[in-house]
Amino acid sequence: MSKADKSEVFTNVILEIFKLGGLLISEGDQLSKEYGTTSARWKVLGAIALADSPQTVSQIAKTMGLSRQAVQRLVDVISKEGLLEFRANPVHKKARLISLSDSGMDIYAKLDKKQVRWAKDNSLNFSKKDLQTTLSVLKDVSRQFEP
Amino acid sequence: MSKADKSEVFTNVILEIFKLGGLLISEGDQLSKEYGTTSARWKVLGAIALADSPQTVSQIAKTMGLSRQAVQRLVDVISKEGLLEFRANPVHKKARLISLSDSGMDIYAKLDKKQVRWAKDNSLNFSKKDLQTTLSVLKDVSRQFEP
DNA sequence: CTACAATTGACAACATATTGCCAACTTGGA
DNA sequence: TCCAAGTTGGCAATATGTTGTCAATTGTAG
């Protein structure tokens, strides 16, 4: 009885994630528009910026939980905009190492600054405890489905 | 100090939603594959099945938080598979009313049954209280961004 | 009744995600 | 050292989401 109710709540969490995901992508697109980029490309910039060292496409894709091909395409288009730098990978002849160019770092810093303000503004109505619970649950759910 | 930390947690929640969203779509695709459909189409079937009365494309789109055009395309392809029925709308000559056909209801019932089992299995490790907190937070976040 | 704004479906272009395929490349075991 | 299995980028097809445009339709105000 109680278990059945729990799985219904679980299902509603999932439906809400689908809905909220779309809304958040729109928000990201709005935030990044001024710098001529999109939320998907911003995510790639972020994955590169936050990595400890230059990464290959394949590594970035793993970090992001996306397919390699999706990231490859995004990297290609971001690279055309001059935001990335490539160098040879001593470990693999085909898989170059990718980092942000100077202008890539510049754009990312601006986006990040804007996002921090946005997050501050939009987290006002939530308690830290609730957000931490939410994060913990979401991470545990993710873990259940990761390949 | 404490506020800055909270917005970081908020940001991490958002990143986790992006990641988990992709994983859940894959799950939905796996679950629906056996009935020759996809998670996106299943969502449309669900929106129609759960509506109190037959809906127009535009109404379904509003319920789902998607664009009208996205839903139109999905409705068209689901209709080709014989899962939908259309009838005239007394209120609007162009906007037909859509409901599930007999086989549409059959497929949806099967998918729903499968999903209930899936949700039961996958909610085992979570407390009802945590899931309720999570749902509440996610809904409140959605509310902030809805048009 | 008429004019205008808003809504709706149809069609299109674009962005982004997946899976599949292939050749080049790397890794690990015999 | 050699070979088979696994990984990687490049290319392609498909699915799904967005925004834009247009004509048909509806709703509202004068």
Side-chain angles (χ1 to χ4, degrees), chain A residues 15-136:
Chain A
L15 294 177
E16 203 60 41
I17 286 169
F18 285 142
K19 187 170 173 185
L20 182 50
L23 294 170
L24 291 171
I25 285 169
S26 288
E27 286 290 305
D29 284 337
Q30 289 304 309
L31 289 172
S32 52
K33 192 189 232 174
E34 127 180 36
Y35 302 110
T37 192
T38 64
S39 57
R41 300 177 201 182
W42 183 5
K43 288 178 200 168
V44 172
L45 291 178
I48 295 168
L50 300 180
D52 293 329
S53 60
Q55 308 277 297
T56 62
V57 163
S58 193
Q59 288 168 330
I60 298 166
K62 281 201 189 87
T63 302
M64 294 176 68
L66 292 183
S67 69
R68 201 197 75 227
Q69 291 92 329
V71 173
Q72 182 68 68
R73 222 179 10 76
L74 290 166
V75 161
D76 289 345
V77 73
I78 297 169
S79 172
K80 278 209 185 86
E81 293 168 10
L83 303 189
L84 302 178
E85 280 182 359
F86 298 89
R87 73 191 60 166
N89 180 1
V91 156
H92 198 308
K93 284 197 184 142
K94 291 177 64 176
R96 291 169 302 174
L97 293 170
I98 304 169
S99 48
L100 296 183
S101 65
D102 285 347
S103 58
M105 281 191 271
D106 185 43
I107 298 284
Y108 179 72
K110 282 171 175 153
L111 286 167
D112 197 47
K113 187 172 172 184
K114 202 171 175 181
Q115 194 275 338
V116 168
R117 218 180 308 131
W118 175 89
K120 246 181 215 150
D121 292 343
N122 288 291
S123 55
L124 290 177
N125 299 327
F126 304 97
S127 75
K128 190 173 173 185
K129 184 161 175 289
D130 280 354
L131 287 174
Q132 279 170 335
T133 300
T134 298
L135 180 59
S136 174

